[in-house]
Structures are given as C-alpha cells and as structure tokens.
Amino acid sequence: MAYSYVVTAHKPTAVNACVTGNFTSPDDLNLIIARNTRMEIYVVTPEGLRPVKEIGIYGRIAVMELFRPPGEAKDVMFLLTARYNAMILECQQDGENLEMITRAHGNVQDRIGRPSDTGIIGIIDPQCRVIGLRLYDGLFKVIPLDRENKELKAFNIRLEELQVIDVQFLHGCQTPTIILVHQDPHGRHVKTYEISLREKEFQRGPWKQDNVETEACMVIADPFGGALIIGQESITYHKGENYLAVAPPLMKQSTITCYGKVDSNGSRYLLGDMAGRLFMLLLEQEEKMDGRITVKDLKVELLGVTTLAECITYLDNGVVYVGSRLGDSQLVKLNVEADESGSYVQVMEIFTNLGPIVDMCVVDLERQGQGQLVTCSGAYKEGTLRIIRNGIGIHEHASVDLSGIKGIWPLRVGTTEYDNMLVLSFVGQTRVLMLTGEEVEETELAGFDGDKQAFYCGNVCHGQIVQVTSASIRLVSSTTQFLLAEWKPSSGKNISVVNCNTCQAVCATGSDVFYVEIYEGELRQMGKTTLDFEVACLDITPLKEGSDQADICSAGLWTEISVRVMKLPDFSMMHRELLGGEIIPRSVLTTTFEGIQYLLCALGDGSLFYFNLNSITGYLTDRKKVTLGTQPTVLRTFRSLSTTNIFACSDRPTVIYSSNHKLVFSNVNLKEVNYMCPLNSEGYPDSLALANDSTMTIGTIDEIQKLHIRTVPLGESPRRIAYQESSQTFGVISMRMDIQDSNGTTPARPSASTQALNTSSSSSTKLLSGTSSSMSEHLYGDEVEVHSLLVLDQHTFEVVHAHQLMTNEFATSLISARLGEDSNVYYIVGTALVHPEESEPKQGRILLFHYSDGKLSQVAEKEIKGAAYTLVEFNGKLLASINSTVRLFEWTSDKELRLECSQFNNVIALYLKTKGDFILVGDLMRSISLLLYKQTEGCIEEIAKDFNPNWMAAVEILDDDTFLGAENSFNLFTCQKDSAATTDEERQRLQDVGLFHLGEFVNVFKHGSLVMQHPGETSTPTQGSVLFGTVNGAIGLLTQVPQDFYNFLLEIQNKLSKVIKSVGKIENSFWRSGHTERKTEPCVGFIDGDLIESYLDLSRDKMQEVVMGLQIDDSSGMKREATVDDLVKMIEELTRIH
C-alpha cells in the first residue's frame, strides 16, 4: 500500500471574491477576501489594510456576500461552497480574539439537476428576506431568511429560462423580485419575476425586455428599482418604461467582467475588463416633482489600467481593492487629477499572487543543496516568472571592500537618534567608520585603543561608550570622546571572551570569569569565579521585558563541551548541560520570543542546540538540535518590524524567529556571513551590516516569512519552462497577443518576446502548402496568439533571445535534453498548427535549438501529424505524446529525429512521465496507463491501466510501483501496479490505493523540495518529496509515509477533526472525500497535512484533549501514552519538510 502525506507549502493567492462591510464590529470597515478555500479578513485603517484573521473553509468558496438583517448593528456573511454547503456566519469579538460563529448552515444540493455551465450564482434580497441561488439549469433555489432558523432550508422554483446568464434582486420592491438575463435561440432577453413565498412560485414581474444586446452578460441592480445591463458594446439602463443606452467605443476592445459600487445611492460604479482597464460609470439622476428619482443619463469614463480584475470593491477615500486571479492583486487610489500619462489610477500596494501556476521547475541555482522553484505564473499582461525559495531576502544598499573583519558594532556618538558610526575590529587593530547620510568615511575616537583588536564595542548607560580589547575594558564619554575609566583583569592575563549589555559586562581570561558593572564614569568589579575549564563563549542578555539588567549569565566551556547557567553577581551555578561530542561551543545566546525564554548554543561545526530556559531556576528543558551550516556559527539578535529575531552567521546564514510559539529557521539569500550587527543610521534606516571574508555589506531584510518570492515580469503568458545547466539559462515558452491590422500584426504592448536582446523567427512556408491559406487569415482588429521560445539568463533573468514561431503555430511543450551520443544539450520544442476549422491539430513540429555564446540556432526540425503535447528525454532518445499516440524518436548521427516505435490506445495522451523503462501516460479522459519499453524488440507496450474515467490534469511516478494523478474534479489519487497478481487480468489493472479531495486544480507535479535536507535530524520517516503547483497559486507538497506512521497520523487526524470545530459545521471527512459529478467516495491512503499541522496552533488544553488515549512507540519497541510534547516535537518536524 502507498500512503501519502499532503500539505500546503504556500497557501492559494488568487482572489476569487471580495466584499466590504462592517463585519468584525459595527465601527470597523472590513475588506474580506476569498482565496479558493481560505477567507482573509482585513480592517481598513488610515495606514492601509491590517490583517485580523485568516480562516480556512472546508470547501471552495463559490459565493461570499455580506448582508445586514433588519435591526442588527453589523453585517453577517452568507457563504456557499462549491459542494453546496451553505452557511451564515457572524463574527464575535472577544478582546483580541475573533470567533466565527455559524448562525445557520445546511447543504442545498439536489439529488438531480444539471450544474449550470455559467457556474453558481448567489444573490441576497436587498431587504434581507430571502437568498436566491442559481445552481442548476431550469431551477431557482430560494432560502427564506428566518431569524430563528438554525438549519438553512431551501425550496426550488422551476425556471422556464434554461440558460440564465446573470440574475439579481431588484431594489425597492414589495415582494422579493429578481431580474435575469437569459439566452434562447433568438438572442438574449431580460425578464423579471416576483417570488411568492407562500405559494413557492414565481409571479409575473413588473417588466421585461426582449432582444437586448446579444452579448449582454451582467446585471447590476440600482437602488431605485432599475437595472443596468452590461454587454460587449453597450450599457443599457432599464426600469419599466424608462430606458437609456450608452455605447462608448472604448468599451468594445475588451469584455467587462466585474463591477464595484462606489456610492451607496448607486450613482457611480467601477467596471473592470479583461484587459485590466478600469472604467467609471456615472448615472446622472434627477428628482421628479413627486419625489421619485429617475436616471436621465449614463456616462462612461476610462480611469486607467490596473491588474486583470476578478473582483473590485470600493473601500473609502478614493481607495479601491482590485482582486485578481490572473495576476497580483492591488490596492489603488483614484486621483481627482490625471498624471502625465493620463491615468487617474495610482497603485498603493501590491499583493503577490502566484496563480495560475501553469508549469514549474525545481533548480538548485546556488549549488547549496537547496531547491528553488521557478514557476510560470499569471497570464496576459500579468504573465511572470516567480523564483520561490525557502528563506529570506536581503537587499544590498552599499558595500565596502574590507578583508579580515573580526567583528562589527554600531555606535551613537554625540547623538541619541541614529547610529552614526560603525566600529570594525581586525587582528591587532580597531577602526571606526563615520556614517553621514549614505557616505562612509574613516574617523577616530580619542578614547579608543586603535592598536588592539576590539572584542566588543557599544553604547552603554549614562551616555557612555565601552570598548573591550584583549588588555582591558575602556569606558569612553560619548560627548567628549575621552577615556573615563579603564578596568584590567587582576590576574594580568589577556581577556579572551567578553559579553556586555548596557550596564553590565562579563569577561573571561582562560577559566577566570569577572563580572563588572558600569556606572557613570567608573567600572566596578562586582564578582569573580574560577571555572573548571576555559570559557569559550559568554552571554548576559537581559531577559525581563523593559529591564536593562541581567541576573543570569550563561557560558559555553571548552574540554567539557558544556553550557552553564550561573547566577549574577556571584556566579553560583544554577544548571549545567553537557552537549556531548568533541566540537566546542562557539556562541551562546539567551533571548525571549513571544514571552518564552530560550537559550541557544551554536557549535564550531555549524550545529545549534536550543533549549527552553526557566529564567528563575536557570533550568534548561526541551533540548533540540538543528544543523545550520558547516562552519562555526555566531549568534546575534536584531529587531525587524518591532519583533526580536536572531541572525546566525555562518556559511549558511539563517534567521531564527518565532511563529505560533515555535522557532522557525529561515535561510538568507547570502553565500556567507561571518559577523553581523543591526544598523539604524540616517542614510540606512532599519538595516543590517554584514561582513564576510572580503567585504562589508549594508542591506535591509525582507519581511520575515517562510517563502521568499522574486518576480520577473514578462508582460505575456508563460506556458512552459525548462532549465539548462550547461548554458546557465532557462527556456520559457510564452504567448503574446498581437493585433491584426492592414499590413500584418502589431504587438498589443511591449513584452518579453518583443524586447529581447536578440530575436529570430520561423518562416512559415513549408507546412502551409497542404492547407488552404484562406482559412487561417485573421480579420482586421482580431487578436492573434503569437508563441515564442524565450531564453533567459539564470542570474539576471534577462531575456537574451526570443525565437518567434510561425503564424497559427502554438508551442505545447519544451524540454532541455542531451540525446544519443551527441554531447550538446538542446532545447526541444513541440508545437501544433492550430486552425479554427479543425477539431484537433493535424500537423505540428518538433524543433531542436542549441544555445551557445549568446546565440540560439535551430539544429533540426521534424514534422509530425498532430500536437506534441509532452516531450520527455527517455534513455538518450526523445519520447513524445502526439495527439492520441506515444512515439519514440532516436537522434541519428546526421542530426535528425528518426521514428523508432509508437503506441496507440489513448483518446488524447496529454502527460508523460518516465522512470527506467517505464512510461506513465495521463490521458484526457481515460485516467492513467503504464507502458513498458522493450529495448531488444524496440517496441512500447501497455502493461497496466486504471479503468476509472478520470479527466487528467497532471501525473507523476512516485516510485517503481506507485503512481499519482490529479484530475479535473480537484481530487488526487494514487494507483499501484500489482506485479504479484496471479491472473493476467489483475496484472493489467492499476489498483486504486488512495483518493483525496484537494480542492485545488493541479497543473504540474515535480519531484524536489524547497528545504535543505539535513540528514540525521528528523525522527519522522517521510520518503521522497513531490511539489505541485495549482491554478490558484497554491504550492503543495506530497511525501510518502510508512504504514505504521500513517496509522498513527490517521488516529491524530480523526481526533483533531473532532476537537477542531470547522466553520460552517462541515466535516473534514466530507471535505476530503473524493468527489466527482458522478460519485463521492471516502478519502483513503492520504493524510491531510494541513489538519495535522493545525495541532500546533491549538491551545494547550485542546492539545491535551487530542493526545488522550494515543499510544506511541518508544525506542525499545514498547508502547506508551503519548504526551503533548511528543506530538508537538513530531509535528514540528513534519512542518520542516516544506
């Protein structure tokens, strides 16, 4: 049996709905965003959006609307998932804590009914009497809103209009009244109906209008009982006999997809279209004699360009949130005056969205054993490549070439506001750099000893500065810069180790340790002890919030290889912890994260021990060990965004921070850091100074988060990506839109393929001879898809070459591979010639390109009969899936592709993965099949297949016998080949062993991992790692677990689903059960990693509740009761795999 553990490494980022209202409290203005299965609640503040809560929903959010029941002070939310779970949610504030209360819930699915092609529509009557749902063709579902009803009950009304395009409730009607746009063979029409709640029937509505614009796609109900119908070319206003139309020419270039209401009186609306343009629609109103308000004119104005909008919502003060599915979402400000380019739109903030991830590759560019993910994200003008890595980015602002730095510290001399000096220590000298603005120059401090190496420098109490050298501790005035006092160890030996805070210092000469207090103008020795071994490192960081004084000193010792915690001032021993091994401790640090005290001790081999520290007794508990690098590590604290973090300097620099009361270790994108200090100067605010062997760098740190994402904008849609190590480039297939005009086509806008350093193109003479060219002519003004192969430099991500394919030639696949005996590495592109009159492509090409010395040259081309959906390098040959066949080509010495063999038996073979001589094929609708290539006979034959009718979205080989598939109903499944079966029939069937509803549409699977694998640290037996990218921009990870561990996790999962109450009362087992339009089956063979990891966010008593009755293996093979700490340690280790 194959058991898998699935977890989200990066949550979905595409926005599919957003609403505003007073949800968290009557005075908060909230923005609520739906990202597939997650809901994020923000409060709108003068500084911007402040996130207050993120909620996972057990379902894909299909409808999210706020409404205010009569007599209530704040809004409640109606939510409907794609699997028809409806709920009404209310937000209750309990101090800082926000609770989501499910006021009512129910499943509104029908036993029969054909789900509508235009998706689920959910609307709420403006007077909050009913909720209307259009789920199935020919039925309108009504949920009456009774205050007391805990269960949402709905009834259906038959709808004669089968093809409903859009539907809304009209305002100001005595009975709830709907208005709909529907389509029949004659065109599109508008109709209104009143809903009679007593008879549960439709009554005739106040008015109707036949034959509106043929492309009418959206209805907006205005507050005066009328409605706006938005089409492709025109906007019309209807209210019974009152009828207005406007057809602005600007509107025709694209289709309007979403709207946002600006004023509560409905006089202004924002409209967004597929090209990312933002329009303002103004309704000019006038008041009649009898007090009725009528609309007398419509005006449309183009405001500017935003991201490609999926939803628009107006917040306040001219600020608009534009949510996007195909690009980053934005917060924009609408200005009264246009800027120099004529736009009224100004982008204030950008929210990263990785979706839709169409393809990706895992590469290790820095050769550090850590994978990075490069994804093809976004579409059209929002097309980008995203480089995603685990860790934190540091942005360099200045650097100075200085070699041999042994320590750096910031100083404030004669000022209290900003750091204005940097002290650098070298062997045998101390140098001081003065910072003025962004300039750096060398200076001197009179009281400093410049001819000795400084071990520590810093500002201390009473406006003084301290410098510690091997000879003494020197106290210097910050204003006069003269020496005020000097303390030398009584033994006359040299100081070897020191640590200071603002009013205390401890230093060691060999095994003697001295404790010195700093007063105004004097240094007093307050304590001394002699330890059994020499001291390797010391720390006296104050642990109490707001206190400058430490009452605990910690030390790392030579020979014994231990950490001691001692009480000040008399150095009485509170705790001794032997670390074991031969490697000495090099750096020790005590700190407080989120109210918990920790002691960290780094050794000379790059490993780090960390403990929970009891600051009263000095005891160390919860010993844990991680490996950060391979060199000695120096620990330093710094503050970022008002939280304390630790920087571990080594050959693999790491930032240590606390999240949800657990420590997280994040890599930093620098090769090597020996020393660092925080720096907050006028020219470099909130920065870090970092030193390695040859240079000192000043830079700022990214916001501290798990994944670091870098964006390379392309301005066109990326479709496939491949990495070529030999030429240090990426190949990307991209698609741009050109506009057909009288003499050919012109690009719609500058983008990656039009701005490349070099360009080339395929001439389109050879293949067109067979087809009549009149068919492929485009009309004037048509949008034409143009496909190119882009070659990008792996370091700068600059497009060094763009090769444009022929007219109507669509690139479908791309790999980088070596073939046969040939030593060159080629980019190989598979294409299809697409003509609108053909049901599937009849012709295509396989092209081989060689990139060297900045030039891309075409080496070979092979004509094929169809579309090359996938190419794979297979034992030195080229395997291609072309329409319904799988074909193997060999690369001859004449540099030509020669067909060796083929396999037929698919509808459309979309996906191929190989391992050894096995080939896994993912079919359009016939699930997966396994083929075997027989070298001696030179043929491919099918050995087993899955007989379920799955429409495949991606496939992967997990191991020799286990295969993974993702299909279009958002499920994952695993199959196994049964080699031990007795009959042929059983051997030919791939056994279903796992099924899991992911709720995300997977586009691509890739073997690889985003984290560095440190062997020997984990006790969790996970095997392998497959990353996947989804349409909503989520990145997930799937790993294999052995059976006993699976059973243990399954037990935890079942307990957790009982303890954690889900929003909307949806069961986890229902949400994760495999679900297609035909059937629903329980989840098997998969562990829901997101649910397992949510254990770490529970309160301690809830954690205890989950652990009750759990049995765990101790190392001797006996069972014992599991404790909370056992579980926390194990799940923390599981979180480190992503």
Side-chain angles (χ1 to χ4, degrees):
M1 267 300 269
Y3 300 103
S4 309
Y5 177 87
V6 184
V7 67
T8 310
H10 184 265
K11 298 186 178 111
T13 48
V15 173
N16 46 354
C18 59
V19 290
T20 51
N22 311 101
F23 185 58
T24 51
S25 83
D27 343 316
D28 286 344
L29 176 62
N30 298 110
L31 168 68
I32 302 167
I33 298 170
R35 302 182 193 270
N36 194 27
T37 58
R38 306 199 71 77
M39 185 167 84
E40 293 174 15
I41 303 174
Y42 294 86
V43 174
V44 181
T45 69
E47 290 78 56
L49 295 177
R50 191 184 89 228
V52 284
K53 197 166 175 68
E54 183 183 355
I55 295 156
I57 306 284
Y58 284 162
R60 301 191 343 272
I61 298 170
V63 177
M64 179 173 77
E65 292 288 351
L66 289 179
F67 65 97
R68 185 169 303 192
E72 300 216 11
K74 62 181 202 301
D75 298 330
V76 297
M77 176 186 288
F78 172 70
L79 216 133
L80 178 68
T81 70
R83 287 172 69 177
Y84 309 114
N85 284 310
M87 59 193 92
I88 292 175
L89 306 177
E90 182 187 356
C91 189
Q92 284 192 358
Q93 253 179 331
D94 179 24
E96 279 296 289
N97 221 346
L98 281 185
E99 282 301 313
M100 296 299 278
I101 309 293
T102 306
R103 288 222 313 215
H105 64 102
N107 193 309
V108 294
Q109 186 171 2
D110 287 347
R111 295 286 300 273
I112 51 168
R114 185 173 155 250
S116 298
D117 293 339
T118 44
I120 291 175
I121 300 176
I123 51 176
I124 298 176
D125 167 46
Q127 292 165 31
C128 305
R129 295 165 290 196
V130 295
I131 295 172
L133 301 173
R134 197 291 313 267
L135 311 175
Y136 306 104
D137 287 340
L139 291 174
F140 186 77
K141 193 178 280 285
V142 179
I143 304 176
L145 282 174
D146 303 335
R147 178 77 184 87
E148 282 69 50
N149 218 347
K150 280 280 180 287
E151 192 181 351
L152 291 178
K153 288 249 195 331
F155 61 85
N156 281 329
I157 302 179
R158 238 190 90 245
L159 199 58
E160 293 166 19
E161 293 74 27
L162 289 179
Q163 239 187 313
V164 173
I165 308 298
D166 196 13
V167 55
Q168 272 296 348
F169 275 109
L170 285 176
H171 287 256
C173 301
Q174 294 297 305
T175 52
T177 306
I178 60 166
I179 174 167
L180 54 89
V181 177
H182 71 100
Q183 184 170 343
D184 64 13
H186 305 297
R188 292 195 178 174
H189 320 287
V190 172
K191 248 187 158 161
T192 57
Y193 283 119
E194 290 186 355
I195 301 172
S196 158
L197 287 171
R198 251 212 341 262
E199 270 99 55
K200 304 195 174 177
E201 281 297 333
F202 280 144
Q203 313 286 349
R204 230 184 72 221
W207 44 272
K208 70 181 189 104
Q209 170 78 41
D210 285 346
N211 297 322
V212 291
E213 188 193 326
T214 52
E215 293 294 315
C217 57
M218 238 161 63
V219 182
I220 306 174
D222 90 315
F224 308 109
L228 291 154
I229 310 291
I230 294 182
Q232 176 78 46
E233 300 180 350
S234 68
I235 298 175
T236 52
Y237 178 80
H238 295 268
K239 183 184 176 185
E241 59 285 351
N242 190 353
Y243 169 92
L244 290 163
V246 57
L250 268 176
M251 199 178 134
K252 296 180 188 154
Q253 296 167 14
S254 183
T255 310
I256 287 183
T257 54
C258 57
Y259 74 91
K261 185 162 129 182
V262 179
D263 306 310
S264 53
N265 69 358
S267 58
R268 290 182 300 172
Y269 291 91
L270 291 167
L271 306 174
D273 72 6
M274 281 181 176
R277 295 178 305 169
L278 188 67
F279 295 96
M280 177 72 86
L281 168 63
L282 178 71
L283 278 64
E284 276 196 27
Q285 302 166 340
E286 64 175 355
E287 200 167 330
K288 285 279 169 58
M289 304 289 271
D290 55 2
R292 278 187 315 148
I293 293 180
T294 60
V295 175
K296 68 168 203 223
D297 198 8
L298 302 176
K299 284 197 172 66
V300 175
E301 193 170 343
L302 174 63
L303 298 178
V305 177
T306 64
T307 177
L308 298 177
E310 175 74 9
C311 53
I312 297 175
T313 182
Y314 181 84
L315 300 176
D316 202 1
N317 288 340
V319 177
V320 178
Y321 177 79
V322 183
S324 178
R325 210 166 39 88
L326 300 173
D328 291 346
S329 298
Q330 291 175 341
L331 202 60
V332 299
K333 185 157 179 57
L334 303 181
N335 295 326
V336 186
E337 304 291 325
D339 61 13
E340 56 272 12
S341 59
S343 163
Y344 295 92
V345 176
Q346 172 195 348
V347 178
M348 294 167 65
E349 202 176 341
I350 292 177
F351 304 94
T352 307
N353 166 25
L354 301 184
I357 298 173
V358 187
D359 192 20
M360 63 190 197
C361 61
V362 186
V363 290
D364 178 12
L365 295 182
E366 264 134 49
R367 305 280 181 95
Q368 289 190 339
Q370 180 190 356
Q372 303 184 6
L373 202 56
V374 184
T375 66
C376 293
S377 294
Y380 308 109
K381 79 180 180 71
E382 303 297 330
T384 54
L385 296 183
R386 308 280 176 154
I387 302 97
I388 300 157
R389 39 166 305 191
N390 218 326
I392 292 171
I394 288 189
H395 306 283
E396 197 175 304
H397 293 305
S399 68
V400 187
D401 288 339
L402 286 167
S403 58
I405 297 177
K406 293 290 172 217
I408 45 179
W409 300 272
L411 279 189
R412 302 180 176 195
V413 181
T415 154
T416 52
E417 247 186 78
Y418 287 108
D419 301 330
N420 55 1
M421 297 199 184
L422 263 179
V423 182
L424 308 177
S425 102
F426 301 86
V427 174
Q429 57 170 325
T430 300
R431 292 159 83 177
V432 182
L433 298 182
M434 175 107 166
L435 303 163
T436 40
E438 294 192 357
E439 295 300 307
V440 179
E441 56 184 321
E442 195 163 339
T443 182
E444 298 220 323
L445 282 176
F448 268 34
D449 182 349
D451 300 332
K452 294 207 170 58
Q453 173 182 343
F455 290 154
Y456 179 86
C457 294
N459 290 74
V460 290
C461 52
H462 309 298
Q464 303 171 121
I465 303 169
V466 68
Q467 178 198 19
V468 186
T469 65
S470 56
S472 63
I473 300 179
R474 301 168 70 90
L475 191 61
V476 178
S477 159
S478 161
T479 44
T480 64
Q481 302 175 13
F482 292 144
L483 182 66
L484 300 172
E486 188 173 17
W487 174 91
K488 291 186 168 156
S490 51
S491 56
K493 289 187 193 161
N494 277 350
I495 296 175
S496 53
V497 188
V498 64
N499 189 268
C500 292
N501 56 39
T502 55
C503 54
Q504 297 161 292
V506 286
C507 61
T509 59
S511 55
D512 294 341
V513 188
F514 300 92
Y515 167 50
V516 175
E517 289 190 359
I518 301 166
Y519 293 93
E520 193 161 353
E522 69 165 321
L523 297 164
R524 288 188 209 155
Q525 179 176 328
M526 306 297 281
K528 174 188 177 211
T529 186
T530 304
L531 300 174
D532 326 343
F533 302 100
E534 287 205 20
V535 176
C537 48
L538 289 165
D539 179 70
I540 50 163
T541 307
L543 287 174
K544 288 199 187 70
E545 281 287 312
S547 156
D548 296 338
Q549 283 223 327
D551 40 21
I552 287 181
C553 164
S554 43
L557 302 189
W558 288 73
T559 323
E560 185 182 52
I561 316 291
S562 67
V563 174
R564 298 203 179 187
V565 181
M566 297 173 289
K567 189 117 184 97
L568 291 177
D570 59 354
F571 292 110
S572 55
M573 187 155 85
M574 301 166 81
H575 186 81
R576 181 177 80 166
E577 181 80 31
L578 295 173
L579 300 175
E582 332 262 87
I583 315 288
I584 63 158
R586 293 295 289 263
S587 180
V588 64
L589 185 64
T590 51
T591 185
T592 307
F593 281 135
E594 295 189 291
I596 301 171
Q597 274 100 27
Y598 294 92
L599 183 141
L600 296 89
C601 180
L603 305 190
D605 62 353
S607 55
L608 172 83
F609 286 95
Y610 60 102
F611 308 88
N612 284 20
L613 166 68
N614 181 326
S615 56
I616 293 147
T617 63
Y619 280 179
L620 300 177
T621 50
D622 287 352
R623 168 171 170 157
K624 290 180 184 144
K625 180 184 175 186
V626 291
T627 303
L628 297 181
T630 58
Q631 303 289 331
T633 305
V634 178
L635 302 171
R636 281 302 200 60
T637 54
F638 69 98
R639 286 176 82 73
S640 154
L641 296 173
S642 75
T643 52
T644 300
N645 306 296
I646 292 177
F647 196 103
C649 312
S650 73
D651 59 333
R652 285 193 181 148
T654 306
V655 168
I656 306 169
Y657 62 101
S658 174
S659 160
N660 282 327
H661 299 291
K662 52 182 190 287
L663 293 194
V664 184
F665 301 86
S666 249
N667 305 43
V668 177
N669 63 349
L670 295 171
K671 279 279 188 297
E672 180 168 33
V673 176
N674 298 341
Y675 298 96
M676 73 75 66
C677 71
L679 176 67
N680 183 20
S681 73
E682 216 159 348
Y684 304 104
D686 290 331
S687 303
L688 304 178
L690 308 145
N692 61 16
D693 292 340
S694 56
T695 48
M696 183 193 76
T697 308
I698 298 175
T700 52
I701 194 157
D702 270 343
E703 97 176 84
I704 289 179
Q705 57 193 20
K706 196 94 194 262
L707 290 178
H708 174 243
I709 298 167
R710 177 178 160 201
T711 302
V712 179
L714 298 177
E716 54 187 280
S717 306
R719 305 302 286 270
R720 295 285 180 272
I721 184 165
Y723 175 55
Q724 193 169 84
E725 196 173 351
S726 58
S727 63
Q728 301 220 327
T729 57
F730 284 96
V732 174
I733 281 179
S734 72
M735 181 272 287
R736 69 169 196 262
M737 288 297 202
D738 283 8
I739 310 290
Q740 179 83 33
D741 52 30
S742 46
N743 52 359
T745 63
T746 51
R749 67 184 156 269
S751 61
S753 57
T754 63
Q755 295 174 307
L757 298 179
N758 297 304
T759 54
S760 55
S761 60
S762 300
S763 59
S764 40
T765 45
K766 284 176 66 180
L767 280 169
L768 290 175
S769 51
T771 60
S772 61
S773 60
S774 65
M775 286 298 196
S776 60
E777 288 298 308
H778 292 282
L779 300 172
Y780 185 83
D782 277 2
E783 287 191 313
V784 184
E785 287 192 21
V786 179
H787 287 243
S788 314
L789 167 66
L790 309 178
V791 179
L792 289 90
D793 179 289
Q794 78 168 40
H795 303 292
T796 62
F797 282 92
E798 185 176 27
V799 183
V800 287
H801 196 108
H803 177 87
Q804 182 172 319
L805 297 173
M806 306 187 315
T807 330
N808 293 337
E809 184 174 29
F810 284 34
T812 49
S813 53
L814 166 73
I815 60 166
S816 162
R818 274 190 58 216
L819 297 178
E821 305 295 305
D822 195 335
S823 62
N824 292 322
V825 183
Y826 296 117
Y827 277 122
I828 310 175
V829 179
T831 74
L833 280 164
V834 177
H835 297 292
E837 71 277 8
E838 296 175 351
S839 60
E840 64 176 356
K842 302 263 195 308
Q843 281 179 303
R845 300 192 296 168
I846 293 176
L847 307 167
L848 273 83
F849 295 97
H850 185 231
Y851 180 81
S852 67
D853 308 330
K855 284 196 58 159
L856 185 76
S857 46
Q858 184 172 321
V859 180
E861 78 170 272
K862 172 85 179 168
E863 288 187 31
I864 50 175
K865 302 264 185 291
Y869 288 111
T870 311
L871 300 171
V872 186
E873 185 273 327
F874 182 67
N875 304 333
K877 300 175 181 171
L878 181 68
L879 187 71
S881 68
I882 302 166
N883 284 15
S884 64
T885 61
V886 177
R887 298 183 188 268
L888 186 62
F889 298 92
E890 65 180 335
W891 183 238
T892 65
S893 50
D894 308 335
K895 303 216 163 185
E896 283 179 351
L897 287 173
R898 187 183 65 82
L899 179 65
E900 184 182 327
C901 57
S902 307
Q903 186 265 344
F904 311 85
N905 190 11
N906 306 292
V907 180
I908 295 180
L910 287 179
Y911 313 101
L912 296 175
K913 287 285 164 84
T914 61
K915 186 169 188 195
D917 286 337
F918 288 107
I919 303 164
L920 182 70
V921 182
D923 191 90
L924 172 71
M925 54 208 285
R926 275 206 205 149
S927 196
I928 57 176
S929 52
L930 186 65
L931 317 178
L932 177 63
Y933 170 62
K934 302 192 165 170
Q935 270 171 333
T936 45
E937 298 158 37
C939 71
I940 300 174
E941 64 173 59
E942 179 175 287
I943 53 172
K945 63 183 291 187
D946 174 26
F947 287 92
N948 292 318
N950 289 322
W951 292 69
M952 299 309 297
V955 299
E956 188 55 272
I957 299 178
L958 293 177
D959 58 40
D960 291 342
D961 298 323
T962 321
F963 312 102
L964 170 69
E967 39 89 313
N968 71 343
S969 297
F970 315 101
N971 303 306
L972 297 180
F973 65 91
T974 46
C975 289
Q976 245 176 351
K977 92 168 184 284
D978 190 358
S979 344
T982 43
T983 65
D984 277 353
E985 189 187 344
E986 275 178 40
R987 267 202 297 278
Q988 285 162 10
R989 178 187 289 274
L990 287 176
Q991 307 287 333
D992 301 337
V993 289
L995 181 62
F996 180 78
H997 186 73
L998 184 67
E1000 287 278 352
F1001 191 101
V1002 176
N1003 271 330
V1004 53
F1005 285 119
K1006 281 281 188 283
H1007 281 280
S1009 161
L1010 282 174
V1011 290
M1012 229 160 331
Q1013 298 302 331
H1014 302 306
E1017 292 165 28
T1018 95
S1019 55
T1020 52
T1022 58
Q1023 202 190 352
S1025 164
V1026 172
L1027 295 167
F1028 56 84
T1030 75
V1031 168
N1032 285 301
I1035 296 168
L1037 180 138
L1038 183 138
T1039 179
Q1040 305 293 296
V1041 293
Q1043 177 159 6
D1044 50 348
F1045 190 49
Y1046 167 81
N1047 291 335
F1048 182 59
L1049 286 174
L1050 192 62
E1051 201 177 340
I1052 299 174
Q1053 182 175 297
N1054 293 338
K1055 285 176 177 288
L1056 272 171
S1057 54
K1058 290 192 184 73
V1059 171
I1060 297 176
K1061 291 288 169 273
S1062 82
V1063 172
K1065 308 261 167 76
I1066 306 171
E1067 291 291 323
N1068 181 270
S1069 55
F1070 172 85
W1071 158 232
R1072 291 306 186 186
S1073 57
H1075 169 80
T1076 64
E1077 280 188 9
R1078 293 179 319 282
K1079 59 183 179 184
T1080 301
E1081 298 174 274
C1083 163
V1084 286
F1086 281 89
I1087 294 291
D1088 180 352
D1090 293 344
L1091 180 61
I1092 297 286
E1093 285 186 10
S1094 67
Y1095 179 76
L1096 298 174
D1097 304 334
L1098 295 176
S1099 60
R1100 196 78 186 183
D1101 46 339
K1102 285 259 196 271
M1103 285 185 170
Q1104 192 54 51
E1105 201 179 325
V1106 175
V1107 174
M1108 295 291 285
L1110 264 181
Q1111 297 280 319
I1112 192 172
D1113 276 337
D1114 60 11
S1115 42
S1116 61
M1118 301 288 285
K1119 291 267 188 197
R1120 63 176 174 84
E1121 291 278 317
T1123 64
V1124 168
D1125 292 336
D1126 290 333
L1127 222 52
V1128 167
K1129 179 171 186 287
M1130 188 193 81
I1131 294 172
E1132 268 187 14
E1133 270 176 15
L1134 277 175
T1135 62
R1136 296 230 167 92
I1137 62 177
H1138 64 84

